[in-house]
Amino acid sequence: MLILVDLDNTLIDRSAGFTAWAEAFVHSINGDPADVEWLVEVDRDGYADRAAVAQAMKDRFALNQSVDAVVDLLLFDHLSFLTVESATTTALDSAASSGHSLGLITNGTVEQQQRKVDQLDLARFFNAIVISEAEGISKPDPRLFRIAAHRAGASLDGGWMIGDHPESDVSGAREAGLNTAWIMRGRRWPHASFSPTRAFPSVHEAIMAITADLA
């Protein structure tokens, strides 16, 4: 059975990693906690335009670097702060060992997202890794889910998508015909017009519950 999994704030806690980096960066320029709070807010969980965030940082912190240099800082400097929980790798290993076809599907640039995968040794669990920049389309486009299923060697029928983003992960996967597991991250479901198949506090709980149901 096909199980597709999102990367940022699903497999890995991108929010926590970025916040830890923001604290270190602000400390390095003698900023204060309000600067950390501002930087995390303007980042918008990575969804804000990187050049716009870079320019805002230059303006607030009087940085001498070019916008492009600050964009590189935003894209890559926080990666060393990212971790994956042992419970998550245990769940992935269990799912893969049980014969499920696993696919990692993520929006973002190839260079940044592949670095995360390599740094955290995630490729060993997946039959396919699909990064939006390489395909020229992004979630929630249902074509990206179809590409991931094809490369994982599995049918979309009865398959699952696990992710934290209501639109990119849940809405797109529903349109592609997948069941959906929404990672709550302490939030309430924000939409009345559609909902995930199931909701879970964490990705490892989602993987273990789905694989148990499919056993």
Side-chain angles (χ1 to χ4, degrees), residues 137-212:
I137 51 176
S138 302
K139 296 181 294 180
D141 191 321
R143 291 176 295 172
L144 201 66
F145 299 91
R146 296 182 190 123
I147 289 170
H150 175 74
R151 292 192 185 153
S155 170
L156 289 165
D157 294 339
W160 284 82
M161 172 65 197
I162 304 172
D164 72 292
H165 199 281
E167 288 78 27
S168 293
D169 296 321
V170 176
S171 178
R174 287 176 77 253
E175 190 173 345
L178 289 161
N179 297 302
T180 55
W182 181 56
I183 304 306
M184 299 157 62
R185 298 176 58 209
R187 303 165 296 169
R188 292 179 179 274
W189 178 253
H191 298 293
S193 58
F194 70 98
S195 59
T197 308
R198 297 181 66 177
F200 296 91
S202 68
V203 64
H204 73 267
E205 290 171 279
I207 294 170
M208 296 306 289
I210 289 168
T211 54

Side-chain angles (χ1 to χ4, degrees), residues 10-147:
T10 299
L11 276 178
I12 60 177
D13 191 342
R14 190 264 179 195
S15 179
F18 186 86
T19 299
W21 168 79
E23 290 171 346
F25 171 78
V26 167
H27 178 74
S28 75
I29 59 171
N30 298 314
D32 58 36
D35 292 319
V36 176
E37 184 177 351
W38 172 87
L39 184 50
V40 169
E41 182 176 353
V42 77
D43 173 67
R44 289 181 42 234
D45 253 350
Y47 286 96
D49 178 76
R50 298 296 85 187
V53 176
Q55 185 61 60
M57 288 174 65
K58 280 175 59 66
D59 294 342
R60 183 178 179 100
F61 302 127
L63 302 179
N64 293 323
Q65 298 102 311
S66 67
V67 168
D68 287 345
V70 181
V71 167
D72 280 349
L73 192 75
L74 285 165
L75 287 175
F76 303 116
D77 269 29
H78 74 281
L79 301 191
S80 62
F81 291 85
L82 298 175
T83 61
V84 59
E85 293 186 355
S86 60
T88 298
T89 56
T90 297
L92 288 170
D93 186 54
S94 176
S97 299
S98 298
H100 297 290
S101 296
L102 301 183
L104 177 59
I105 178 171
T106 177
N107 286 349
T109 67
V110 172
E111 184 176 5
Q112 186 194 50
Q113 300 304 77
Q114 190 63 54
R115 279 197 198 183
K116 295 174 186 177
V117 170
D118 294 343
Q119 176 181 303
L120 299 171
D121 194 24
L122 293 172
R124 59 196 169 104
F125 300 110
F126 293 97
N127 303 95
I129 295 174
V130 175
I131 301 173
S132 65
E133 183 186 57
E135 310 305 327
I137 51 176
S138 302
K139 296 181 294 180
D141 191 321
R143 291 176 295 172
L144 201 66
F145 299 91
R146 296 182 190 123
I147 289 170

